[in-house]
């Protein structure tokens, strides 16, 4: 079942349907949170808060805008993680800059956060890219020649080029949904 169908079901009162979304995104969300806050003890708590807050505000989610539920969920998680990091800084923990520089090999906190967000956005966008576009794009990015892809997939070279072009265009759209149109 697609996310949009599950969201519609939850909005109509099927609260059990939300568990499908939790199951689908739980592991990815916790990994995302862990990379941002780098504190194993609070990752699960933040994840539960994010899912609860998303559930409570699901009526605000408008699937007709074209923003995937996953993007909305991960933006909510990112915002919650930023709040957590600010809270730690304000409570006298090690300065955020020092944590980020240690974890990111000298990168600023903003660079480390943006890099993590970008990686997750690419991964989630690729997951949403339909076949055969995903496979063709991945092979191209990994260095396979257009003619090699064409032979392996049994399609003309023009088809491969068209798939790569369309996949890139779709990736731009999907990525812009994560970053508010600024990719």
């Amino acid at each position: 079942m697609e996310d949009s169908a599950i969201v519609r079901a939850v909005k109509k009162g099927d609260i059990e349907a939300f568990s499908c979304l939790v199951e689908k995104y739980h592991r990815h969300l916790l990994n995302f949170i862990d990379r941002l806050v780098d504190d194993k003890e609070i990752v699960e708590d933040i994840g539960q808060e994010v899912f609860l807050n998303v559930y409570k505000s699901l009526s605000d989610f408008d699937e007709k805008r074209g923003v995937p539920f996953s993007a909305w969920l991960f933006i909510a998680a990112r915002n919650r993680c930023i709040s957590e990091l600010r809270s730690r800084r304000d409570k006298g923990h090690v300065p955020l800059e020092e944590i980020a520089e240690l974890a990111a090999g000298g990168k600023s906190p903003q660079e480390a956060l943006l890099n993590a967000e970008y990686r997750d956005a690419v991964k989630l966008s690729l997951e949403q890219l339909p076949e055969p576009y995903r496979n063709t794009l991945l092979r191209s990015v990994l260095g396979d020649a257009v003619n090699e892809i064409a032979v392996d997939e049994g399609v003309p070279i023009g088809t491969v080029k068209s798939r790569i072009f369309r996949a890139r265009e779709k990736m731009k759209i999907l990525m812009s949904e994560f970053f508010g149109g600024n990719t």
Side-chain angles (χ1 to χ4, degrees), residues 22 32 43-44 63 71 78 81 110 115-116 128 134 141 161-162 168 171 174:
V22 173
F32 177 75
V43 168
E44 187 72 38
E63 60 271 2
R78 177 197 65 192
C81 290
Q110 293 83 6
N115 287 343
Q128 294 178 39
R134 178 183 333 152
V141 168
K161 289 179 180 179
S162 175
R168 287 179 177 160
M171 284 295 291
L174 291 168

Side-chain angles (χ1 to χ4, degrees), residues 22-85:
V22 173
E23 284 180 34
K24 182 176 181 178
Y25 293 108
H26 186 257
R27 185 174 49 84
H28 294 299
L29 186 74
L30 294 184
N31 288 336
F32 177 75
I33 293 168
D34 185 40
R35 282 193 302 272
L36 293 179
V37 299
D38 197 28
D39 185 347
K40 302 269 188 242
E41 293 181 19
I42 63 169
V43 168
E44 187 72 38
D45 292 339
I46 291 175
Q48 288 177 2
E49 285 179 40
V50 169
F51 276 120
L52 181 61
N53 290 337
V54 163
Y55 176 77
K56 287 179 181 178
S57 61
L58 203 55
S59 62
D60 297 334
F61 178 70
D62 183 7
E63 60 271 2
K64 292 175 187 150
R65 287 184 49 218
V67 175
F69 172 80
S70 59
W72 194 61
L73 174 68
F74 280 82
I75 288 168
R78 177 197 65 192
N79 292 342
R80 176 61 186 90
C81 290
I82 290 170
S83 295
E84 176 64 28
L85 292 171

Side-chain angles (χ1 to χ4, degrees), residues 35-176:
R35 282 193 302 272
L36 293 179
V37 299
D38 197 28
D39 185 347
K40 302 269 188 242
E41 293 181 19
I42 63 169
V43 168
E44 187 72 38
D45 292 339
I46 291 175
Q48 288 177 2
E49 285 179 40
V50 169
F51 276 120
L52 181 61
N53 290 337
V54 163
Y55 176 77
K56 287 179 181 178
S57 61
L58 203 55
S59 62
D60 297 334
F61 178 70
D62 183 7
E63 60 271 2
K64 292 175 187 150
R65 287 184 49 218
V67 175
F69 172 80
S70 59
W72 194 61
L73 174 68
F74 280 82
I75 288 168
R78 177 197 65 192
N79 292 342
R80 176 61 186 90
C81 290
I82 290 170
S83 295
E84 176 64 28
L85 292 171
R86 284 183 182 144
S87 170
R88 286 183 187 181
R89 181 189 63 204
D90 294 342
K91 291 179 181 175
H93 290 279
V94 175
L96 184 59
E97 292 80 15
E98 291 180 28
I99 293 172
E101 285 178 7
L102 289 173
K107 293 181 183 173
S108 73
Q110 293 83 6
E111 288 175 313
L113 180 59
L114 285 174
N115 287 343
E117 284 181 11
Y118 189 79
R119 278 191 309 277
D120 289 329
V122 168
K123 183 175 184 278
L124 288 168
S125 295
L126 276 170
E127 288 174 0
Q128 294 178 39
L129 195 64
E131 290 297 349
Y133 302 103
R134 178 183 333 152
N135 185 50
T136 304
L137 180 64
L138 287 173
R139 289 191 63 187
S140 172
V141 168
L142 292 173
D144 289 353
V146 172
N147 58 344
E148 180 182 347
I149 298 169
V151 169
D152 288 350
E153 295 186 11
V155 297
I157 290 175
T159 300
V160 173
K161 289 179 180 179
S162 175
R163 286 178 182 172
I164 292 169
F165 175 80
R166 289 186 177 145
R168 287 179 177 160
E169 291 301 306
K170 182 67 175 168
M171 284 295 291
K172 286 178 188 175
I173 292 167
L174 291 168
M175 293 290 291
S176 72

